[in-house]
Structures are given as structure tokens and as C-alpha cells.
Amino acid sequence: MLQIRDLIWGLLFIGCAAAIQVQITPTQGEISVGESKFFLCEVVGDAKDIDWYAPSGEKILPNRPDIIVSRGDETMSTLTIYHANVDSAGIYKCVAKNGDKEAQATVQVKIFQKITFESAPSPQEFNEGDDADIVCNVISSPPPSIIWKHKGSKIQVAKDVRFRIMKNGHLQIRGIKKIDEGMYNCEARVMARGEIDFRMIKVVVNVLPTIRARLSEVNATADIGSSALLACDADGFPEPSVTWTHNNIVLERGDKYSLNEDGSELVIKDVKKVDEGDYTCIAKNKAGEKAEEVSLNVFVQPKITYLNNQTASEFDEQVTLTCESSGDPTPTISWSFENKVFTEGEQSLDRNIVVRSHARVSSLTLKNVLFTFAGQYLCTASNSIGQDNQHMYLEVRYAPKILGPVTVYTWEGNAANITCEVEAHPGASVVWFRDGLQLPSANTTNMKIFNTPSTSYLEINPDSQNDFGSYNCTATNVLGSESKEFLLIQAEVPSSPEIQQVEPFSSTAVVSFEEPDSMGGVPITKYRVEWRLPGQEWTGSEHDAKDDLIMITIVDLKPETTYEVKMSAVNGKGEGESSPARIFTTEPVQGEPSAPKLEVKVQERGNTLKVSWIKQDDGGSPIKHYLIRYKAKHVSEWKPEIRSPHDSDYVLLSGLDWNTEYEVYVVAENRQGKSEPAVISFRTATDPTTIPDAMDGGSGLGTGAIVGILIVVFFLLLVGVDVTCYFLNKCGLLMCIAVNFCGKAGPGAKSKDIEEGKAAFTKDESKEPIVEVRTEEDHTPNQGGGPTEPNETTPLTEPDGKTVKDENTKGETEVKNATAEVKTVPNEAPQTNGNESKA
């Protein structure tokens, strides 16, 4: 079948055989921007030229890049529009020519814009609180209508005034909040074409950081190797980064600083004073940054930086001691000397000591310098975090000053020491005089002088009344000299004690007394109490003089009997007069005895104790025995009872537990019954020989093994000492064996007999050693502590220079012939000979 178009073309050809006909296919065109399309211009008849003309009327040339004209054959030409844009719209014309014949046809090309999202980025970020403009640029022709959706629902701008759709299609959110964050749907519609398209846009709301310092001020101490922690807590979105700055310099991890993972904690190591100041903690994210300051206060412990020893002379107008210190806060400086403290603004009552301070310097001014100002001064610098102490020594040069008591008591035949104690700097030489003659002299064989660095002793053994009187001690150094007179006075026997009261019982009596008014110049050694039936011989007892002795108990009296009692005192010179006799009558027999008076004394081994008792009234019937019970306080059971004879006065309790409190009951019993118990408590010592058990199951020596080792060591030590004594001093066990069994001569064969020395004896002829002499073998050099100094009644040697030591109460003496060392001060009093002993 023929198509209609062919029929039309056939009719036209027949009717107008000589005319040219032009037709454009398609007859109209719609092109979307960016698309390409072609149009076909078909010519009926002979046409030499077929040309296309743009809407502007210009002939479309072949070399245009966007619109191309191509001629397929003599009857058609193609117009192709590539990537059309809005400028491509208009009426295009196709013209066919053949000589003077011409035909044309037109086609209207419409260019329309499809929905195109030119700009709809995702995500879009905003800072919280800003007016957010969510960009969604859409173009189309005709222009599209824009609909915004959030969380699946259309945004109703009428219901929330914060939302607004702008003329350009953007969505504006005024004062955007974190809750506004999420996915937004930008939807474009062209109703004329029913076209629709959309874009999902992610909206992120960034939150400006907030920052808070945990402590606005941090305190630290410098120069002690400590660290300081500065911390701040930051929040925001996205998570902010935290940095620290000091003096506008960013701090980084290293030897000086360390930071934790998120940077919120800054540790400053080995804090110094230069680290003090403000540190800035900065939190930063996309929304911005915030900063907070933390102050580091660095305190410095006080340190004394200057303090030197000084020297002055007595009677100088003044001397000033200076002490400087460092520290923060500024230290307060004080001075102390011999338990006296001086601070700023304070001074002594005599105004001779003044303290002044300025900043970190303090001065202690001593006016009218005295020798007593010499010594060690302590400077103390203190502030709120600590203190520092340093000592300095003030050396004061001064002329000699003689101290000590001026009177010394003794008696003929009893050696005594006159002590001349000298304080001087530099040290002084000491000389003794009597009646203008220097001692000792050729006529004073009973006098000797012994010197120590600070004291000179004049030992006198009076043999007549002429030796009593005045003695002069003169001390001299480069600054001057001083003399002092000492008196050697004949001692007397003491006066009689005064009996205050006699309290009688049936078989005892307690005598209360007061010490004599006159001691005779030397201490009382004993009190003698004597009692008798009127007209009969006196019976007496002696009691050592103790500081607290004010009562003496007389025992073995008869009940309901009248007695006389008197007392006398004994000193080194002898026994004084007796007090007037005091008459008393004992009480009738009362039956049971009175409780004894108890005393406890710890023995050498701390878990053995000696419990002594003093017999009280026996109730008129002789004491049969004493009953002793004891137990540890923390237990209920008593140890087995101990029965002690009637004449006993003590019991030894041994094998007690260490460091345990015990109580002891002592009961006196006679034929009439038992006394009330005397009670006393005591605590044993801590065990000094505790040996820890082997740790962790390890093996260790048992107690028996350790004791055995100690015994062997002790035995070897004794053998070594004995051998040494045999070869060096010709004494000891080996020497004894050699003399008795081997016939070896003893050391006595090599020297003459030693004359027995004289000593002071009491009137009852009992002997007591007066001085312990250190021989040359025993001598130990003075290492800073002074030698043992004798007292005024202690003779240093016997006149012949030989040492005498009492060994028992029977008057037997053992004389050791050894040379004693005497230490003297150079260029002072004449020294004793080499055979004289040292105190």
C-alpha cells in the first residue's frame, strides 16, 4: 500500500512539475537541555543548494561545533543539534534553491530544562546557634516547585517559625540546634511534565566546645623533684582537641611535659620556680575554640644560703651574725641559742641582743660581748611549706675565769682535792701558790697537781694543822689572768640528829628523825641507832645514809617494855655526838604480825627479780616464816607458794616471762597467825636475746647450737687474754701454773716490796676504795670527752706514787705496780713524776 505521504508527493509532482518543494521532519522539536537531536530537510524537485538558517537568520556554516549541517544526497540535508542549551531554541529554516527557483520550510525547536540539582552538597555543616542555610539549587523549565522533608515528614513552615523556604529554594533554619541534625529531603517537581526528583542532604550541627578547669589554681613545690598536674575537661561536637600553651608557646610531649591521650591532663615534671605562671587550656573543633586559664603557683622550700662562723673578743662593742635564705613565700628567719629563741623585732631584756630582718636577710646583733655568748647558734628559715636549719659557731676570746666552790673540807690523813675549774679561750695555764710560793715545792711532799684541759686539781694529804688554810689558783692566757683563793678547812664530826617521834609497836618501834644541823663539812655516810632497857647496855644498828632516809625501824623488842633510844651521825671524819635519849614503851602483844614492807630490784638478767622485805612489828611473837605467792597479772592461777625462813629478808624469782607484769604477795606468820599480805607489782624487761626463727621454712641454727658457739668463742677469748697477760704482764692462769709447777719466778721477785698506801677510813675501821686508777695498760686517749674528774674528797694518789686498791672488807689490799699516765696542759703548773697515777 502506498502511504499518504507518497500520494501527496505524487500529486504535487504532477501538478507542479516545474516547482521545488521542501519538508522538514519532524515538523517540530522539543529538546531537553544537554540532549542532542537531528532534523531532516527533504526536497522534492531539483535543488542545487540546500541550506539551513539559524533562528538569528544566519546561515549555519559547516564548521560550527554545536550545530552540524550535513547533506546526504541531492534531495535531503540533516541538521543535528548537539548538547542543546537554552540558546539553541528558535525557528530553524531549511531553504532549497535551483537557479531562480527556491523553496523553504521551518521547524520550531523548543529547549526545555529537566530537573537538575546544580548544588545540593551532603553533608552540610553548621554551628549550633547559627542561622543555617541548607543549599539545594534546582533548575528546570519551567522552574520547579521545591518541597523539604525531615524525618519522613514535610516541613510545615507555618508551624515552626524557625524554618523558612527561601525564594531560591534553600531551607533556612534560624538558630539551628543539635536536635535539628539529620537527613533532609530536597524534592523538586515540574507539574507541567509530571517530573519529580530529590536529593538527600545530611545536615551536621557542630557544637562549640565548652571547657572547664578542674582547678583554677594549682600549687607545687620547687626543687624536690615533684610534678604538677594541670587538668581541664572539654566537651563539644565533634570531639574537640585539647592543647596547652604557656607564654604563647604550645607545649608538646617530651622530657619536661607529658599529656594524656586526649590532652586534657598536663603533667609538668620536676617543677622549678621558672615554671610558675598561667597555663592556657584550649579546646578546638569545627565549631570554634574556647580557652581556660590555670594558674600554677610554685613555692620554694626555705634554704639558708649564707651563714658563717665568727670570732669576737669579750667586751667588744658588738658582733653581728648574718643569715641569708631563699624560698617562696619569703621565709621568716629566727635565731636560737641555748633554748632561747629570738625573732624579728625581739630583743633580750638587757637590750644586748637585737634581731633585724630585711627581705631574706636577718642579722643577730650581740652588744657588749660576753664570754657566755660563745657557742652554737641556730638559724631557722621557715615558710608555709617547710623550713631549713643551719648552725654557726661564735668563738669568743676571753681572759680566764675561775669557777667552782672555794671551800674544801677534809681532815688530817685524808687526802682531798681542791678543784680550780678554769674557763678561758684560748686555753690558760694554771699555777698554784701558798703564801706566795709556787706549789709544789721541796717542802710540800704531801701535795700534787693534776691538770686537764679545763681543770687543775691540787691534791693535799694534810699531815698537820699547818696544811689547812688558803691556797691560790692563778690562770693566765694571752688575754689576761685571774686568781682565786681556795680554803682547805678542817672537817668536823656531824652534830646529832634530832629524833622527832618514836612510834612503838609490840616488838618494834619506828624512829622518825631530822638530819643534823651541821654535817661537819663532809657528807654523812651512816646513822647509828642505839636502844636499851634503862640502866643496861646499849644495843645498836647502823644504817647507810640515803637521801630519803627519815625513819629507822628498831626490831626484836619486848612487848609492854620501856626503852631508851638515841641516834648519832657518822661522816668521813668520824661519829658525832648522840642525840638526847628518848623514852618509849612498846605496845602489848597484838597477835598477828604487821605486813612487811616490800622492795623489788631487777637483776642482771631482766626476767629474774629480787623481792626484799623489811620486817615490821611481829605482834609480840617471833616470826616463824614468810609466805610468798606470785603470778602474772593476766592469768588467774598463782605459782606454788614459797616458804622463806624467819631470818630471811629477800627471795629471788627467776625464770619469769619476759615483758610481763607480775604481782607478789608476801605474808609474815607467827604463832598467833598471819599478817595482812604486802602487795607489790612489777614488769619484767623485754627479752634482749630473742633470736628470730628461720624465715620461709629455711634452715637456721637452733638455740643450743648458738649457745654452744658463744661458749666456744668465749673460751677462746679467755685463752687469748690469758696468753697475752702471761707474755706481757707475767700474770694469769699460765703464769700461776708456771710458778707453782714449773718453779718459774713470779713478778714479785723483780721489784722491791710495795709500801701499803694510806686511805680514808671511817671510825669503825671499815675500808672503802677512794679512787679507781687507770693504769698505763688501760689508758685510752681522750677523744673529745673529758677524763673522769675526781671530787674534792677523792685523793688522786698516795704520797709515794703507788696506787692502792681495796679488795675486801678485812683490810687486805692488792697492790699493782703500774705506771699511770698524767695529762697536763703545756707550760702550766709543774707536772707530777712518771710514777704518779691519774684520776
Side-chain angles (χ1 to χ4, degrees):
M1 277 182 74
L2 293 176
Q3 296 182 358
I4 296 175
R5 187 184 65 180
D6 297 334
L7 293 174
I8 294 173
W9 278 104
L11 292 173
L12 289 173
F13 180 77
I14 295 172
C16 304
I20 298 174
Q21 307 254 338
V22 176
Q23 182 179 346
I24 297 175
T25 305
T27 58
Q28 66 178 8
E30 285 189 356
I31 307 174
S32 173
V33 173
E35 292 183 346
S36 299
K37 197 167 187 178
F38 69 91
F39 295 91
L40 181 62
C41 180
E42 294 177 299
V43 179
V44 177
D46 293 330
K48 184 178 180 181
D49 298 314
I50 303 173
D51 297 313
W52 288 86
Y53 290 87
S56 62
E58 297 179 354
K59 182 179 178 180
I60 298 174
L61 299 177
N63 59 353
R64 288 187 59 170
D66 53 341
I67 301 176
I68 297 176
V69 174
S70 61
R71 187 167 179 176
D73 54 22
E74 293 180 357
T75 61
M76 68 178 61
S77 176
T78 303
L79 173 68
T80 304
I81 300 175
Y82 288 99
H83 307 298
N85 55 43
V86 293
D87 294 334
S88 302
I91 297 174
Y92 289 83
K93 182 169 59 176
C94 178
V95 178
K97 292 183 179 179
N98 188 359
D100 55 355
K101 296 178 181 178
E102 176 178 319
Q104 64 181 16
T106 61
V107 59
Q108 184 173 4
V109 177
K110 297 179 179 180
I111 305 298
F112 70 94
Q113 176 69 58
K114 291 173 61 177
I115 295 175
T116 302
F117 290 89
E118 288 187 324
S119 177
S122 181
Q124 297 186 37
E125 298 186 23
F126 306 96
N127 294 339
E128 187 177 38
D130 291 350
D131 289 341
D133 186 0
I134 303 175
V135 175
C136 185
N137 291 330
V138 186
I139 58 173
S140 72
S141 54
S145 59
I146 304 298
I147 298 173
W148 285 90
K149 296 179 181 180
H150 180 47
K151 296 179 181 179
S153 300
K154 181 179 179 180
I155 295 175
Q156 305 290 334
V157 296
K159 293 182 179 181
D160 192 339
V161 296
R162 295 188 308 116
F163 291 87
R164 179 183 176 191
I165 298 176
M166 311 293 289
K167 291 182 178 179
N168 58 4
H170 296 183
L171 175 64
Q172 184 185 68
I173 305 176
R174 286 177 288 183
I176 192 169
K177 302 176 182 178
K178 186 65 177 176
I179 59 174
D180 296 328
E181 192 173 66
M183 298 300 296
Y184 285 76
N185 184 354
C186 176
E187 185 178 285
R189 295 185 179 187
V190 177
M191 298 302 294
R193 292 195 299 273
E195 186 179 0
I196 185 172
D197 201 357
F198 66 91
R199 290 290 184 271
M200 298 300 295
I201 301 173
K202 182 178 181 180
V203 174
V204 178
V205 178
N206 296 325
V207 180
L208 187 69
T210 59
I211 191 167
R212 178 183 61 84
R214 296 180 193 172
L215 292 174
S216 59
E217 288 192 6
V218 175
N219 298 329
T221 302
D223 305 323
I224 62 172
S226 65
S227 300
L229 173 64
L230 281 59
C232 61
D233 297 314
D235 195 12
F237 186 85
E239 186 73 23
S241 61
V242 180
T243 56
W244 291 84
T245 64
H246 178 52
N247 295 331
N248 296 322
I249 298 174
V250 177
L251 306 182
E252 298 180 352
R253 292 180 176 87
D255 294 337
K256 183 64 178 176
Y257 305 103
S258 66
L259 295 163
N260 64 346
E261 186 176 352
D262 61 4
S264 61
E265 294 181 353
L266 170 69
V267 176
I268 303 172
K269 306 173 188 175
D270 191 14
V271 175
K272 304 291 184 183
K273 184 63 179 176
V274 294
D275 297 324
E276 188 174 65
D278 291 333
Y279 289 76
T280 304
C281 174
I282 303 171
K284 185 175 183 180
N285 66 6
K286 293 180 178 180
E289 68 178 43
K290 282 290 184 71
E292 185 80 8
E293 286 192 346
V294 179
S295 296
L296 176 62
N297 303 317
V298 178
F299 300 105
V300 181
Q301 289 185 325
K303 184 175 180 59
I304 294 176
T305 56
Y306 177 84
L307 185 68
N308 285 339
N309 296 334
Q310 293 207 36
T311 301
S313 296
E314 191 173 28
F315 307 124
D316 281 353
E317 181 177 347
Q318 68 179 36
V319 61
T320 299
L321 316 180
T322 302
C323 182
E324 296 182 9
S325 70
S326 62
D328 187 11
T330 300
T332 300
I333 300 177
S334 64
W335 297 83
S336 60
F337 175 67
E338 293 183 348
N339 299 323
K340 299 176 184 176
V341 178
F342 302 97
T343 58
E344 166 66 18
E346 294 186 10
Q347 58 187 15
S348 61
L349 295 178
D350 57 8
R351 300 181 181 274
N352 280 342
I353 301 177
V354 180
V355 178
R356 293 187 176 91
S357 298
H358 176 70
R360 292 178 169 83
V361 181
S362 178
S363 64
L364 175 68
T365 301
L366 308 172
K367 301 179 180 178
N368 303 319
V369 177
L370 301 175
F371 79 100
T372 54
F373 291 173
Q376 188 169 258
Y377 289 76
L378 176 67
C379 174
T380 301
S382 58
N383 61 15
S384 57
I385 62 169
Q387 71 176 28
D388 187 25
N389 300 302
Q390 280 194 28
H391 292 90
M392 62 82 60
Y393 190 84
L394 174 62
E395 177 185 354
V396 178
R397 295 163 53 87
Y398 58 93
K401 302 180 188 300
I402 298 178
L403 310 175
V406 297
T407 58
V408 178
Y409 290 84
T410 189
W411 57 93
E412 293 180 16
N414 183 70
N417 301 321
I418 300 178
T419 302
C420 182
E421 184 180 351
V422 180
E423 289 189 357
H425 187 70
S429 61
V430 179
V431 181
W432 290 91
F433 297 94
R434 188 177 192 203
D435 297 332
L437 297 177
Q438 184 174 338
L439 299 177
S441 64
N443 298 327
T444 56
T445 57
N446 62 340
M447 299 182 189
K448 297 184 179 69
I449 295 174
F450 300 91
N451 294 312
T452 70
S454 62
T455 306
S456 181
Y457 302 95
L458 175 62
E459 180 190 298
I460 305 173
N461 191 358
D463 53 20
S464 69
Q465 188 63 34
N466 293 333
D467 291 325
F468 296 95
S470 176
Y471 292 84
N472 176 274
C473 175
T474 299
T476 305
N477 70 1
V478 295
L479 298 177
S481 65
E482 181 170 308
S483 296
K484 190 172 185 178
E485 296 293 327
F486 292 87
L487 295 177
L488 184 64
I489 301 175
Q490 175 86 322
E492 301 294 340
V493 295
S495 60
S496 63
E498 181 181 351
I499 298 177
Q500 296 288 317
Q501 180 183 359
V502 179
E503 184 179 4
F505 298 93
S506 60
S507 63
T508 61
V510 178
V511 181
S512 302
F513 66 95
E514 285 188 356
E515 64 182 14
D517 293 333
S518 173
M519 305 291 182
V522 291
I524 292 176
T525 59
K526 296 179 182 297
Y527 286 102
R528 183 188 297 275
V529 181
E530 296 178 285
W531 65 93
R532 70 177 181 178
L533 295 172
Q536 296 187 13
E537 293 294 327
W538 292 95
T539 300
S541 63
E542 289 188 348
H543 303 268
D544 291 336
K546 299 178 181 178
D547 292 339
D548 58 350
L549 183 63
I550 59 174
M551 293 187 299
I552 295 175
T553 301
I554 303 172
V555 298
D556 297 329
L557 303 180
K558 296 179 181 180
E560 297 185 86
T561 304
T562 300
Y563 289 90
E564 291 180 307
V565 64
K566 64 179 181 178
M567 289 187 65
S568 61
V570 181
N571 66 7
K573 180 68 182 292
E575 182 179 355
E577 294 183 355
S578 297
S579 65
R582 187 80 172 259
I583 299 175
F584 67 93
T585 302
T586 55
E587 298 290 329
V589 174
Q590 67 178 22
E592 299 84 2
S594 300
K597 183 178 179 181
L598 301 184
E599 292 180 351
V600 170
K601 184 176 181 182
V602 179
Q603 301 302 291
E604 288 186 5
R605 183 162 177 82
N607 67 339
T608 298
L609 292 104
K610 180 180 181 181
V611 180
S612 304
W613 55 82
I614 301 174
K615 176 184 175 183
Q616 301 300 303
D617 185 38
D618 61 10
S621 177
I623 300 294
K624 294 168 54 182
H625 47 249
Y626 292 93
L627 304 175
I628 301 98
R629 293 197 307 161
Y630 69 99
K631 72 178 184 69
K633 276 195 171 182
H634 66 278
V635 300
S636 58
E637 294 184 1
W638 292 86
K639 298 289 185 179
E641 186 175 70
I642 301 173
R643 184 183 295 262
S644 187
H646 68 90
D647 58 348
S648 62
D649 58 3
Y650 73 91
V651 66
L652 284 176
L653 304 179
S654 59
L656 305 179
D657 294 335
W658 293 102
N659 193 26
T660 303
E661 190 169 359
Y662 283 85
E663 55 184 359
V664 180
Y665 283 29
V666 179
V667 174
E669 185 176 5
N670 64 8
R671 292 180 180 179
Q672 304 297 322
K674 297 179 181 179
S675 70
E676 292 293 326
V679 182
I680 195 167
S681 298
F682 60 89
R683 177 176 287 276
T684 54
T686 303
D687 188 355
T689 59
T690 300
I691 302 175
D693 294 334
M695 300 300 291
D696 298 329
S699 62
L701 290 177
T703 303
I706 293 175
V707 172
I709 292 172
L710 291 177
I711 291 174
V712 172
V713 172
F714 183 68
F715 177 75
L716 293 176
L717 181 62
L718 286 179
V719 172
V721 171
D722 193 68
V723 172
T724 303
C725 291
Y726 175 77
F727 288 106
L728 295 182
N729 297 330
K730 303 302 180 183
C731 62
L733 183 60
L734 289 177
M735 189 65 198
C736 182
I737 294 172
V739 170
N740 289 285
F741 296 99
C742 302
K744 186 176 179 64
K750 296 182 180 179
S751 62
K752 63 180 181 178
D753 292 338
I754 301 174
E755 180 182 355
E756 182 178 291
K758 298 179 181 179
F761 301 97
T762 59
K763 202 165 189 180
D764 64 354
E765 298 183 355
S766 64
K767 294 184 178 181
E768 295 181 357
I770 295 177
V771 64
E772 180 180 350
V773 178
R774 176 177 289 174
T775 61
E776 194 168 45
E777 292 89 0
D778 306 321
H779 180 67
T780 302
N782 185 9
Q783 297 291 339
T788 303
E789 297 183 356
N791 57 44
E792 62 186 30
T793 62
T794 305
L796 298 170
T797 64
E798 288 300 310
D800 58 4
K802 297 178 177 59
T803 304
V804 180
K805 185 174 182 182
D806 228 343
E807 292 296 341
N808 55 54
T809 60
K810 296 181 181 179
E812 297 177 1
T813 59
E814 177 182 343
V815 182
K816 184 175 182 182
N817 186 15
T819 302
E821 179 185 5
V822 177
K823 183 174 182 180
T824 62
V825 178
N827 301 324
E828 295 187 358
Q831 302 178 3
T832 60
N833 59 59
N835 292 326
E836 292 174 341
S837 62
K838 179 185 175 184

